[in-house]
Amino acid sequence: MSCECKGPTPRWSTLASKPASSVIRDLLKLAARPEVISFAGGLPSPEGFPVEAVAKACQEVLATQGKQALQYSMVEGEMILREQIAKRETMKGIPTTADQVYIVSGSQQALDLLARVFLDPGDKVLVESPTYMGALQAFDLVGPRYVELNCDEKGLNPAAFGEECRNAKFAYVMPTAANPTGLTIDEDRRALLAQKAREYDMWLVEDDPYGELWYEVEPPKSLRYWAPERTIRLGTLSKILAPGFRLGYVIAPADVLDKFASMKQAIDLCTAAFTQRVAGQTFSDDVLVEHLPNVRARYAKHAHAMLDALAEFMPEGVTWTNPIGGMFIWVTLPEHMNATTLMQDVLAQNVAYVPGEPFYANKPEVNHFRLSFVTVDPEVIREGVRRLASVIKAHI
Ligand SMILES: Cc1ncc(COP(=O)(O)O)c(C=O)c1O
């Protein structure tokens, strides 16, 4: 029975007592109104979810391995899925065995495990600027000290890295179609990043949820290829299959995986065996062979619709990134403008984006916002960008 009455104030932990950043949360609540053309979401498009193939895989799993599927799993994960993930990594040119792959409950859990396994309060963590806000939220569990890495219009710029990298616990990097910028680091920069990692003795955390969602051009090899001995690679099924599975994975040297496993055991014992086996079955049924090209084509179409609309409607002085894959475009307004305060007027036109502020670890730059395009129809994207551009024009 739920209690509607107000009880005494609980004795919160220090972490829970921190005030939540309410301005952006309130704005995003308004963005959820049905009449709003929302470029604020970060969800994959449900249009292409392979519902029938998953239903078939569920039946197959229950019929052939029902008892194991309904049992607890091993903390490392179910072998069928680990093998399939290892096979995909190997296909991408980086030989990987199933015992190098541990399953987690979404890659967000891996970010939480990183905080628990690597960080003490005040420890140095290197991040891109801007970076994924969900990673900052996970690392904030421990209260690290963030150092923002040098980035330019091509993303992370390792040529400029220096002593600030020394003694960091790790550098958290999204090399491909990053959230929020959509930028992809080229091959030369990846190789140089590996070199710098060795020079400054830093571990690399490669978060790669969007690496398989390229449009026309395949991205360069993963960071793990360049520095396997010091890369912790995070992947997820959320964007290549569906986030409802809540399945992600970590590929890393054995001692890191062991620490992750003992920490994970204390959190949730294991990830659900059932979803792992169903996902493993969909992989074995070759569902991705057809499904992934469809997702790539759909996302490319939406990205082009948004890029065309931006080129058509945005006034001079506004710039944006040109992603080769993924779900996001990062827009930069003239420096005197503030995307958080502008959002009120944008919402009044029934359009929404995510203001850039929460994506910064230290000092937010306020003249940016993130656009997400995969859940909005191409014709609607054009209308949304037209309205957005007219508000920006009025403010410029
Ligand atoms: C960069 C990045 N990392 C991690 C995640 C978490 O993904 P999941 O927990 O669904 O695997 C997301 C989700 O949007 C993301 O954008």
Side-chain angles (χ1 to χ4, degrees):
M1 195 172 65
S2 74
C3 176
E4 298 297 328
C5 60
K6 189 163 167 22
T9 305
R11 296 184 189 90
W12 304 119
S13 70
T14 311
L15 184 67
S17 313
K18 277 192 197 161
S21 61
S22 60
V23 179
I24 304 239
R25 213 168 45 183
D26 291 350
L27 287 173
L28 293 180
K29 254 188 227 157
L30 293 173
R33 286 180 289 138
E35 63 275 23
V36 172
I37 300 175
S38 181
F39 303 131
L43 307 182
S45 167
E47 291 298 315
F49 288 163
V51 178
E52 278 171 29
V54 172
K56 184 168 158 276
C58 280
Q59 272 170 354
E60 176 72 19
V61 164
L62 288 172
T64 59
Q65 40 193 292
K67 290 194 173 144
Q68 299 93 316
L70 298 179
Q71 188 53 280
Y72 284 108
S73 175
M74 290 181 304
V75 71
E76 297 86 352
E78 293 290 313
M79 223 4 138
I80 178 176
L81 183 59
R82 298 168 70 196
E83 278 168 357
Q84 291 292 337
I85 290 165
K87 198 167 121 192
R88 292 194 70 76
E89 291 289 312
T90 306
M91 264 161 38
K92 285 185 276 181
I94 310 164
T96 306
T97 54
D99 59 358
Q100 294 175 299
V101 181
Y102 275 22
I103 305 298
V104 282
S105 306
S107 52
Q108 191 67 30
Q109 183 175 55
L111 296 171
D112 176 66
L113 290 169
L114 276 167
R116 292 169 194 264
V117 164
F118 281 92
L119 301 180
D120 289 310
D123 276 350
K124 193 195 307 189
V125 172
L126 306 172
V127 291
E128 288 163 284
S129 175
T131 188
Y132 169 51
M133 71 168 110
L136 296 176
Q137 282 167 335
F139 303 156
D140 281 349
L141 174 76
V142 187
R145 180 167 62 89
Y146 296 109
V147 173
E148 291 175 327
L149 290 167
N150 192 294
C151 297
D152 60 19
E153 70 293 343
K154 286 162 71 187
L156 204 61
N157 177 18
F161 291 3
E163 282 304 316
E164 74 280 8
C165 297
R166 210 177 288 286
N167 298 324
K169 285 294 180 79
F170 56 79
Y172 170 74
V173 179
M174 286 164 284
T176 304
N179 181 1
T181 62
L183 290 172
T184 296
I185 320 175
D186 67 23
E187 190 166 287
D188 289 349
R189 287 189 177 197
R190 289 178 195 224
L192 186 56
L193 178 55
Q195 200 180 309
K196 292 277 183 174
R198 293 194 182 103
E199 188 180 337
Y200 291 104
D201 188 23
M202 64 181 169
W203 277 76
L204 300 174
V205 172
E206 172 182 42
D207 191 6
D208 191 22
Y210 307 104
E212 301 232 38
L213 303 184
W214 44 272
Y215 310 145
E216 283 94 23
V217 185
E218 215 169 321
K221 284 206 175 74
S222 105
L223 286 187
R224 184 169 159 253
Y225 170 80
W226 303 98
E229 81 290 358
R230 55 177 66 246
T231 299
I232 300 165
R233 177 166 161 75
L234 314 185
T236 179
L237 273 54
S238 292
K239 310 292 166 15
I240 58 171
L241 198 55
F245 279 98
R246 299 313 298 129
L247 290 174
Y249 55 92
V250 183
I251 305 176
D255 47 351
V256 175
L257 291 179
D258 283 350
K259 289 281 184 212
F260 270 40
S262 40
M263 220 38 107
K264 178 173 163 58
Q265 195 140 31
I267 298 170
D268 64 359
L269 299 180
C270 62
T271 296
F274 182 62
T275 55
Q276 291 187 63
R277 283 182 182 248
V278 172
Q281 185 65 42
T282 57
F283 279 40
S284 323
D285 292 344
D286 279 342
V287 171
L288 292 189
V289 171
E290 213 179 295
H291 174 65
L292 258 184
N294 288 341
V295 176
R296 288 180 189 131
R298 176 174 297 109
Y299 285 16
K301 189 171 159 208
H302 286 237
H304 290 312
M306 182 157 266
L307 290 167
D308 289 349
L310 287 166
E312 184 178 348
F313 295 116
M314 280 296 165
E316 210 164 305
V318 179
T319 58
W320 53 90
T321 55
N322 188 354
I324 64 153
M327 307 189 345
F328 306 112
I329 291 172
W330 184 244
V331 179
T332 300
L333 299 170
E335 265 181 35
H336 68 274
M337 290 181 72
N338 182 321
T340 308
T341 50
L342 188 74
M343 178 87 164
Q344 296 289 3
D345 288 3
V346 171
L347 275 170
Q349 297 301 317
N350 287 333
V351 180
Y353 53 63
V354 184
E357 275 186 64
F359 297 100
Y360 290 88
N362 293 335
K363 198 165 166 282
E365 289 179 16
V366 294
N367 60 321
H368 307 274
F369 57 83
R370 189 191 75 179
L371 295 174
S372 166
F373 43 80
V374 301
T375 50
V376 186
D377 284 341
E379 315 78 63
V380 183
I381 287 179
R382 188 168 182 276
E383 172 57 16
V385 172
R386 190 191 64 74
R387 289 188 212 167
L388 178 55
S390 68
V391 176
I392 294 172
K393 260 182 221 156
H395 281 263
I396 282 183

